[in-house]
Amino acid sequence: MEVIINADTLISLAELLTALGVIGGVILWFFKFVQRSRRQNEELRAIRREQTLICYGLLACLQGLKEQGCNGPVTEAMKRMEDHLNQAAHDEET
């Protein structure tokens, strides 16, 4: 068996290696894209939990102010905050 290596053979081999490299690059890009998307979703969930805690703390502060006799904007802010938290809770369930 005789193996002949000429320019056409080298060009064909280079074409094959390039095609495999491109396919591998696309697969690697897709894998990294999915991983980044998952990580971003986890970070967003953590941020939402933190914001929910901040909202509950703010609502508690507003309730304390109302108990001390502050009315007007405090009452309006409490109503808006309660409506927001109620709506957010229902949106998260679905």
Side-chain angles (χ1 to χ4, degrees):
M1 181 171 142
E2 187 175 319
V3 177
I4 300 174
I5 299 178
N6 56 20
D8 290 335
T9 306
L10 289 176
I11 291 172
S12 296
L13 182 60
E15 288 174 352
L16 178 65
L17 289 175
T18 302
L20 290 175
V22 169
I23 291 170
V26 169
I27 291 171
L28 183 62
W29 172 83
F30 182 75
F31 177 75
K32 287 183 177 184
F33 178 79
V34 169
Q35 291 294 80
R36 183 175 53 241
S37 178
R38 286 181 183 169
R39 187 174 56 249
Q40 287 175 343
N41 286 341
E42 290 171 4
E43 289 173 1
L44 285 174
R45 261 188 243 114
I47 289 169
R48 286 185 189 127
R49 283 192 303 267
E50 183 179 358
Q51 287 180 338
T52 300
L53 288 175
I54 290 169
C55 286
Y56 281 123
L58 180 60
L59 183 59
C61 291
L62 290 171
Q63 287 173 343
L65 285 172
K66 187 171 181 178
E67 288 174 3
Q68 291 181 1
C70 298
N71 288 325
V74 172
T75 305
E76 176 64 25
M78 275 184 57
K79 179 170 180 358
R80 284 186 174 193
M81 183 64 71
E82 288 171 347
D83 290 344
H84 169 74
L85 289 173
N86 191 17
Q87 183 64 38
H90 288 292
D91 288 343
E92 199 165 297
E93 288 176 4
T94 58

